């Protein structure tokens, strides 16, 4: 039985598990699902281009129709690497990615932003800024709110509204007491 399983594994071409990524675009906002209107794309693009000029921090948005079951976090990091989001020297980029069919979203950060735009902060932005707007089908509003929150985070200004903790979704960090 083990031999049959081994032979089957060898017979499966390795390319079956590879993921196709879109070619690098000359835009920061790319909608491969046709979810956003042309004017919404342009407003988001203008916001991100302006901030990149001011700060050198590059924020990109990618909206996909589907990732065909590929894990969104891995897809985001690989796409960010392929496209070279953020400055090559400082790796100070962030990618907001949304998969419409899977109803998933993720914020991937380059090494240069990890100290500021932490995983916890990215989750807060998704929970407080993106999800509420996406639930009411305001995708452009959710992406704009997330972009503005990332801009505020990189400037040291974002606090979030605390809705996640207030709704009982995320306990406050200091709420666990260990008694020995």
């Amino acid at each position: 039985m083990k031999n049959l399983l081994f032979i089957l594994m060898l017979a499966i071409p390795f390319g079956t598990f590879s993921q196709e990524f879109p070619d690098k675009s000359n835009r920061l906002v790319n909608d491969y699902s046709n979810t956003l209107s042309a004017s919404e794309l342009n407003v988001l693009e203008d916001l991100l281009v302006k901030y990149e000029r001011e700060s050198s921090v590059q924020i990109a948005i990618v909206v996909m129709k589907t990732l065909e079951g590929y894990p969104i976090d891995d897809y985001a990091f690989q796409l960010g690497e392929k496209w070279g989001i953020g400055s090559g020297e400082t790796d100070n980029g962030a990618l907001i990615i949304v998969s419409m069919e899977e109803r998933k979203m993720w914020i991937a950060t380059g090494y240069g932003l990890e100290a500021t735009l932490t995983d916890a902060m990215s989750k807060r932005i998704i929970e407080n800024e993106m999800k509420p707007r996406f639930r009411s089908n305001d995708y452009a509003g959710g992406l704009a709110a997330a972009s503005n929150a990332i801009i505020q985070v990189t400037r040291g200004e974002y606090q979030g509204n605390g809705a996640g903790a207030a709704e009982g979704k995320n306990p406050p960090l200091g709420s666990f007491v260990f008694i020995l």
Side-chain angles (χ1 to χ4, degrees), residues 25-89:
S25 169
N26 60 352
R27 296 181 54 91
L28 294 175
V29 182
N30 296 277
D31 180 8
Y32 298 102
S33 67
N34 296 316
T35 300
L36 304 172
S37 70
S39 64
E40 292 169 333
L41 286 168
N42 289 332
V43 167
L44 288 166
E45 182 78 17
D46 290 346
L47 171 70
L48 300 182
V49 167
K50 180 181 176 203
Y51 186 62
E52 182 180 8
R53 286 184 185 141
E54 290 173 8
S55 67
S56 83
V57 172
Q58 188 176 64
I59 304 167
I61 298 173
V62 175
V63 182
M64 301 292 293
K65 182 176 181 179
T66 181
L67 299 180
E68 298 175 3
Y70 204 84
I72 194 166
D73 55 338
D74 192 34
Y75 188 95
F77 289 115
Q78 288 190 43
L79 183 63
E81 284 292 316
K82 180 179 180 187
W83 283 11
I85 297 171
S87 167
E89 294 175 9

Side-chain angles (χ1 to χ4, degrees), residues 16-168:
T16 359
F17 297 110
S18 68
Q19 177 65 37
E20 293 292 321
F21 295 98
D23 291 331
K24 184 175 181 176
S25 169
N26 60 352
R27 296 181 54 91
L28 294 175
V29 182
N30 296 277
D31 180 8
Y32 298 102
S33 67
N34 296 316
T35 300
L36 304 172
S37 70
S39 64
E40 292 169 333
L41 286 168
N42 289 332
V43 167
L44 288 166
E45 182 78 17
D46 290 346
L47 171 70
L48 300 182
V49 167
K50 180 181 176 203
Y51 186 62
E52 182 180 8
R53 286 184 185 141
E54 290 173 8
S55 67
S56 83
V57 172
Q58 188 176 64
I59 304 167
I61 298 173
V62 175
V63 182
M64 301 292 293
K65 182 176 181 179
T66 181
L67 299 180
E68 298 175 3
Y70 204 84
I72 194 166
D73 55 338
D74 192 34
Y75 188 95
F77 289 115
Q78 288 190 43
L79 183 63
E81 284 292 316
K82 180 179 180 187
W83 283 11
I85 297 171
S87 167
E89 294 175 9
T90 57
D91 197 13
N92 61 342
L95 171 62
I96 303 169
I97 186 165
V98 177
S99 177
M100 298 304 292
E101 284 186 13
E102 288 92 352
R103 299 175 54 111
K104 297 204 183 252
M105 57 198 82
W106 188 261
I107 299 173
T109 58
Y111 292 117
L113 288 182
E114 283 183 341
T116 315
L117 185 59
T118 63
D119 290 343
M121 186 60 71
S122 294
K123 180 174 175 27
R124 181 184 289 175
I125 291 168
I126 289 170
E127 294 295 325
N128 295 342
E129 309 301 337
M130 293 176 73
K131 280 187 179 180
R133 290 169 178 87
F134 279 30
R135 284 187 187 115
S136 55
N137 295 322
D138 182 11
Y139 300 107
L143 293 167
S147 299
N148 281 313
I150 291 171
I151 289 168
Q152 289 175 337
V153 166
T154 59
R155 289 179 176 159
E157 300 168 355
Y158 181 78
Q159 299 301 315
N161 65 13
E167 295 170 2

